[in-house]
Amino acid sequence: MAKKSGKEGGGKDTLKRYRSKRDLERSPEPKGGSKRKGRTPRFVIQEHDARSHHFDFRLEVDGVLKSWAIPKGPSTDPREKRLAIAVEDHPLEYAKFEGVIPEGEYGAGTVIVWDAGRYRNVTTEDDEEIPMDRALRKGRVEIWLEGEKLEGGYALIHTKMRGDEKNWILVKVKDEKADARRNPVKSQPKSVRSGRTIAQVAREGGKSGKNGA
Ligand code: MN
């Protein structure tokens, strides 16, 4: 496969799907386009109460947020494998998005920043560290999260089950940050950005919508 020479940055073209799905004049979601290079990459987990409730797990890779929708949310228990469905790349600015996507729009519902922080790629192959794009193509990614709620090693594994290319599994690696008794999805429901729960953000969004704001 020919590798694109990255003059425009790897991110630009991969946001076409993101933009084509949305009316960004009507939705408060970010349009995308900013670039940020050189620092430790970010991750974010957004709780999204849409048609079906899920958590969006996003990793900064080459100027975009690689994204998976996790119906049950992440776990701190290494025995819990969580289905993570690959979705379209999102712009970096999306990591800060919290609010209400209006009815009738793609992803209509409420979003909060459930967890956020930095991550390190710790994927190896034959005992050598390999870059994220290669790890993603190979379908096995190991990362070390430094979030407010989630910490330590996590593995994202492409399942290729039933021919469904979108299905991955997110699982906690057994390390000192693993904890089978914690259940942060239940016990720590507030946004790490605003301190609000998804119900509070939805209520406020509904009010301002009615006022025409
Ligand atoms: Mn979502």
Side-chain angles (χ1 to χ4, degrees):
M1 220 195 299
K3 212 178 166 189
K4 252 189 293 174
S5 71
K7 252 193 205 140
E8 291 291 321
K12 210 162 196 179
D13 290 328
T14 74
L15 292 175
K16 269 188 192 151
R17 273 187 70 208
Y18 172 85
R19 294 200 183 92
S20 72
K21 282 171 180 279
R22 293 167 170 77
D23 181 350
L24 291 167
E25 299 306 318
R26 275 185 45 92
S27 175
E29 296 166 287
K31 291 175 176 60
S34 87
K35 290 263 153 44
R36 210 181 54 85
K37 277 236 159 103
R39 287 188 289 160
T40 320
R42 279 176 221 284
F43 83 94
V44 65
I45 301 173
Q46 280 155 318
E47 184 179 2
H48 187 181
D49 192 12
R51 198 174 40 186
S52 63
H53 177 262
H54 59 274
F55 289 77
D56 289 298
F57 185 71
R58 311 190 197 278
L59 297 172
E60 177 183 353
V61 180
D62 295 336
V64 294
L65 295 171
K66 293 283 168 193
S67 300
W68 292 261
I70 305 178
K72 291 169 96 174
S75 176
T76 52
D77 181 351
R79 293 168 305 183
E80 286 283 324
K81 294 187 174 74
R82 295 289 158 88
L83 174 65
I85 302 153
V87 297
E88 74 276 16
D89 295 349
H90 278 52
L92 287 183
E93 303 99 293
Y94 210 94
K96 291 183 178 166
F97 177 70
E98 190 162 287
V100 178
I101 302 168
E103 258 177 70
E105 296 304 306
Y106 177 75
T110 312
V111 176
I112 62 165
V113 178
W114 184 80
D115 198 15
R118 306 277 171 193
Y119 81 92
R120 280 183 292 126
N121 170 26
V122 292
T123 315
T124 57
E125 187 182 297
D126 305 324
D127 294 328
E128 301 263 345
E129 282 198 14
I130 60 167
M132 278 297 277
D133 59 337
R134 177 167 172 81
L136 286 164
R137 278 200 308 274
K138 295 206 67 152
R140 189 176 177 95
V141 177
E142 280 195 43
I143 46 180
W144 183 272
L145 300 183
E146 287 161 8
E148 294 185 35
K149 296 175 185 172
L150 299 189
E151 292 181 292
Y154 277 82
L156 261 169
I157 300 148
H158 197 189
T159 67
K160 296 167 182 136
M161 272 195 313
R162 289 184 227 108
D164 195 333
E165 289 294 309
K166 292 188 164 87
N167 288 357
W168 294 61
I169 292 290
L170 179 73
V171 66
K172 179 78 194 77
V173 171
K174 283 182 200 158
D175 56 30
E176 71 271 20
K177 304 292 186 189
D179 187 346
R181 288 162 306 178
R182 261 185 84 199
N183 185 359
V185 161
K186 275 237 159 79
S187 64
Q188 294 174 273
K190 287 179 182 168
S191 161
V192 295
R193 197 168 159 76
S194 65
R196 297 176 299 177
T197 63
I198 203 156
Q200 288 169 326
V201 171
R203 260 200 308 279
E204 288 162 29
K207 237 185 273 164
S208 64
K210 271 195 199 97
N211 295 341

